[in-house]
Amino acid sequence: MSAAVTIYPLGGLGEIGMNCMGLSCDGSLVMVDCGLMFPEDYLFGVDVVIPRFDFILARKEQLKAIVLTHGHEDHIGALPWLLPYVDAPIYGSPFTLALVAKKLEEHDLLKHADLRPVQKNERVEIGPFAFNFFQVCHSIVHSYGLGIETPAGRIVHTGDFKIDRYPLDGHQTDLDAFRGFAEPGVLCMMSDSTNVEREGFALTEMEIKQSLGEIFRKATGRIVVTLFSSHIQRMQEIFDLAHDTGKRVAVSGRSLATNIELARDLGYLRMPAGVWADMDELPAMPLDKSVLLVTGSQGEPLSALSRLATGEHRQLRVHPGDLVLMSSRFIPGNIRAIHKLIDKLYRQGAEVLYERVQGIHASGHAHQEELAIMLDTVRPKFFIPVHGEYRHLVKHRRLALEHGVAPERAIIIEDGQPITFLGEGGIRLEDPILVEQVYVDGKGVGDVGQSVLKERQLLAGEGMVVVMLVLDDKTGEVMIGPNLISKGFVFEQQYSHVLEDAKCVILDTIDSVPPGNTDKLKERIRSSLRRFFRKVLERDPVVVPVVISL
């Protein structure tokens, strides 16, 4: 009788980001990806969001390996918060592990990491599993889909992928490898759902390069390009087009420079002769012969492009006639910041092209037709959509039904809902496990909860008023104060009359409380001031009374 295999989704099912999954059989556990998610606007002060690892840590003796599909942050970014507590090798492509190594080095964890690079089509046995690594096309080089041999049957995890119909430099999804693995029959396929709402095919990199090439040939001024710092293939296109049109490329931004160096060392990026320019060479170069490759595609405030747009870059400034190409997707939480950045660039005299107005970016995630091709290639018995918000999972399930998966075998699960494959076609939904988003704020991990966030939201929305007061402990007589300090509430000079009236409210409150009961006085001051401000200004700031008795 075949052994049961259980899938434990820890992140990435019900949201885009934080991809993390456990695969368990016969007392052995393997993790697939370990990603983070960047915070939404309402998560004030939070740096990143990571999965809760309690399930993994409770079974760390069973953990045999961590297998990575590719090097994007939503697949590798949470490793620094897990690795100090577990001892397991990490498998991934050479470029993925190079990015991991840089990340771990920043956290002083590299010397303890066991990084094991694998090549495409390699097969690695890990406990009761055998992992086959298949090349897929994505917006980062050396991405893998997984063919997993388990005692219960074969499982396919597509990873993030698209099917480029006209691949450049061999960056393609190896459908033949998936087809060959699936020939004996696939028990279950888990597939990327991000772009299931988009019909047809994603733009190909050949189409993007043609569009960029036309722009490079027609440009009469300097070209500024911003993109994701991991998109090595797009960078290669930029360097090739610059060389073909007699231009040179300079780079501003640490993450770009680091990844370019990594990609060159590993042989994934060719630098045509004479195309590279140092930043100090730019002043002497004709504007129409220079290309700037800069960070800041998501409107990050300290990025090179943001500093350029505000005139705060130490070495560069925007020239009238500069053409800025934003060759990347606008991540939903960053759209407002990106639009503000575009406006600032226009104020400086630049022209800006981006995905909605020009075909200069192609998604790395499969559209409907590509997802259908993968379904028809693998022909799984069971289907689980992954990597998407809940509506994406629902729509991907519908697509699977149209391509032959039986309704009872197309299953939507979310984070924390394990599913067990029993072999012989049987499945079982297990009891849910504890999963939640863990907020990382500086060195604090998980110490920012809903109560702290609520306070931060109140402070951001209404501001704060601090009341300073010194009383005689025996008589209750006011010795110093009351003084009011407004932070993010009102402009003190403009509303000085309101703050003076608030002091009268405080004095009246003091008279209503017996001397010596400081805690009761603080609470009375807090409630009376909130009522007063709501009545007078229709605002409800955080009121912090500081009462000292002497």
Side-chain angles (χ1 to χ4, degrees):
M1 184 176 177
S2 60
V5 174
T6 303
I7 296 169
Y8 294 93
L10 305 179
L13 278 73
E15 71 263 318
I16 293 179
M18 211 169 66
N19 298 284
C20 186
M21 179 176 291
L23 198 65
S24 177
C25 178
D26 284 342
S28 294
L29 177 66
V30 176
M31 283 182 66
V32 176
D33 289 331
C34 186
L36 57 71
M37 187 163 60
F38 292 105
E40 300 285 352
D41 290 342
Y42 66 86
L43 297 176
F44 297 101
V46 173
D47 298 323
V48 295
V49 184
I50 63 174
R52 178 168 290 283
F53 292 124
D54 291 18
F55 175 81
I56 300 296
L57 297 180
R59 295 160 180 80
K60 60 183 180 180
E61 293 79 11
Q62 301 177 16
L63 185 63
K64 303 302 181 186
I66 301 170
V67 176
L68 304 175
T69 58
H70 62 283
H72 279 151
E73 286 291 310
D74 60 331
H75 292 259
I76 69 170
L79 284 170
W81 288 277
L82 175 66
L83 292 186
Y85 308 103
V86 300
D87 182 16
I90 303 173
Y91 293 89
S93 71
F95 186 67
T96 297
L97 295 188
L99 295 176
V100 169
K102 279 288 183 183
K103 179 175 295 294
L104 297 183
E105 189 175 29
E106 293 172 0
H107 289 80
D108 196 28
L109 295 171
L110 182 57
K111 56 183 175 292
H112 303 297
D114 181 4
L115 306 181
R116 302 184 184 183
V118 290
Q119 302 296 332
K120 64 181 180 180
N121 299 322
E122 190 170 342
R123 182 178 181 273
V124 177
E125 294 185 2
I126 304 172
F129 307 110
F131 283 77
N132 298 268
F133 295 84
F134 305 139
Q135 175 179 291
V136 294
C137 179
H138 188 42
S139 52
I140 184 173
V141 295
H142 257 206
S143 295
Y144 289 151
L146 305 174
I148 310 168
E149 302 169 41
T150 82
R154 295 189 166 208
I155 294 175
V156 167
H157 188 305
T158 66
D160 291 1
F161 80 100
K162 71 174 185 177
I163 298 173
D164 195 318
R165 293 158 292 162
Y166 312 106
L168 298 175
D169 294 331
H171 295 295
Q172 62 187 21
T173 295
D174 191 348
L175 290 175
D176 289 338
F178 280 99
R179 188 177 294 110
F181 180 81
E183 190 171 339
V186 166
L187 174 66
C188 177
M189 180 171 82
M190 295 175 282
S191 183
D192 174 14
S193 306
T194 308
N195 274 346
V196 69
E197 294 180 309
R198 297 190 179 188
E199 297 179 351
F201 289 83
L203 285 174
T204 68
E205 281 301 318
M206 180 177 289
E207 292 169 312
I208 299 302
K209 187 173 183 180
Q210 290 172 348
S211 180
L212 290 172
E214 185 176 353
I215 292 169
F216 269 60
R217 287 187 289 272
K218 292 182 177 180
T220 57
R222 185 175 58 180
I223 297 174
V224 181
V225 184
T226 184
L227 38 63
F228 290 126
S229 60
S230 59
H231 205 327
I232 302 301
Q233 184 180 4
R234 190 74 48 78
M235 293 182 208
Q236 183 68 68
E237 295 163 19
I238 298 299
F239 285 116
D240 288 344
L241 289 171
H243 181 260
D244 294 344
T245 54
K247 304 178 189 294
R248 299 182 69 197
V249 182
V251 174
S252 179
R254 186 168 66 92
S255 60
L256 273 174
T258 296
N259 288 354
I260 287 172
E261 182 181 358
L262 285 177
R264 290 183 70 181
D265 290 346
L266 292 169
Y268 303 137
L269 183 63
R270 307 177 309 275
M271 195 69 67
V275 76
W276 181 268
D278 291 326
M279 292 294 294
D280 55 10
E281 297 180 68
L282 286 177
M285 291 171 54
L287 292 179
D288 63 341
K289 297 298 181 184
S290 60
V291 177
L292 292 177
L293 196 57
V294 299
T295 54
S297 66
Q298 300 304 304
E300 302 92 333
L302 299 179
S303 65
L305 186 60
S306 290
R307 288 184 282 117
L308 192 60
T310 56
E312 297 175 354
H313 199 288
R314 290 186 296 115
Q315 298 167 287
L316 303 171
R317 66 182 180 88
V318 175
H319 297 83
D322 280 357
L323 181 60
V324 179
L325 309 181
M326 305 192 76
S327 185
S328 61
R329 179 174 72 95
F330 290 7
I331 295 175
N334 300 330
I335 290 175
R336 183 178 299 177
I338 296 170
H339 286 168
K340 287 183 178 179
L341 175 61
I342 291 172
D343 283 348
K344 290 176 183 177
L345 289 166
Y346 271 104
R347 285 193 179 96
Q348 297 274 11
E351 182 72 24
V352 185
L353 298 180
Y354 46 96
E355 185 179 11
R356 290 185 179 179
V357 299
Q358 189 85 18
I360 57 173
H361 175 64
S363 173
H365 298 274
H367 288 200
Q368 282 181 18
E369 288 298 323
E370 299 157 84
L371 296 173
I373 289 172
M374 184 61 78
L375 280 161
D376 292 340
T377 299
V378 175
R379 305 184 316 279
K381 187 173 185 178
F382 289 90
F383 176 75
I384 299 175
V386 297
H387 200 296
E389 296 172 356
Y390 195 80
R391 70 182 186 280
H392 299 129
L393 308 182
V394 170
K395 293 179 180 181
H396 202 175
R397 177 184 181 273
R398 291 174 186 168
L399 183 66
L401 299 184
E402 295 172 7
H403 288 265
V405 179
E408 67 274 12
R409 292 176 175 170
I411 304 167
I412 294 176
I413 58 175
E414 291 186 88
D415 296 344
Q417 177 55 70
I419 184 170
T420 295
F421 292 94
L422 303 168
E424 306 299 328
I427 61 170
R428 180 178 65 223
L429 291 178
E430 306 292 351
D431 292 336
I433 61 174
L434 175 64
V435 294
E436 61 181 2
Q437 296 179 353
V438 175
Y439 304 133
V440 178
D441 184 357
K443 292 185 177 180
V445 181
D447 57 343
V448 175
Q450 290 303 317
S451 60
V452 173
L453 286 174
K454 185 176 181 180
E455 289 178 356
R456 291 181 179 183
Q457 290 166 13
L458 288 171
L459 288 169
E462 303 288 351
M464 177 173 66
V465 175
V466 180
V467 179
M468 304 291 294
L469 189 63
V470 179
L471 302 178
D472 184 288
D473 187 39
K474 294 181 180 179
T475 65
E477 183 181 346
V478 177
M479 300 174 63
I480 300 175
N483 296 322
L484 275 70
I485 302 172
S486 169
K487 293 295 182 183
F489 172 52
V490 295
F491 184 49
E492 293 182 7
Q493 293 180 350
Q494 182 178 354
Y495 285 91
S496 59
H497 61 289
V498 174
L499 297 179
E500 288 300 319
D501 290 345
K503 292 179 182 180
C504 295
V505 172
I506 296 169
L507 293 173
D508 290 342
T509 303
I510 294 171
D511 292 338
S512 69
V513 178
N517 197 338
T518 303
D519 291 339
K520 186 174 183 180
L521 179 59
K522 288 180 181 179
E523 187 55 40
R524 287 279 183 88
I525 291 173
R526 185 181 294 110
S527 58
S528 59
L529 279 186
R530 289 184 64 190
R531 282 195 302 271
F532 171 73
F533 289 134
R534 282 198 298 265
K535 181 179 179 181
V536 175
L537 296 175
E538 296 185 355
R539 299 181 187 177
D540 191 9
V542 175
V543 177
V544 181
V546 179
V547 180
I548 301 172
S549 295
L550 298 177

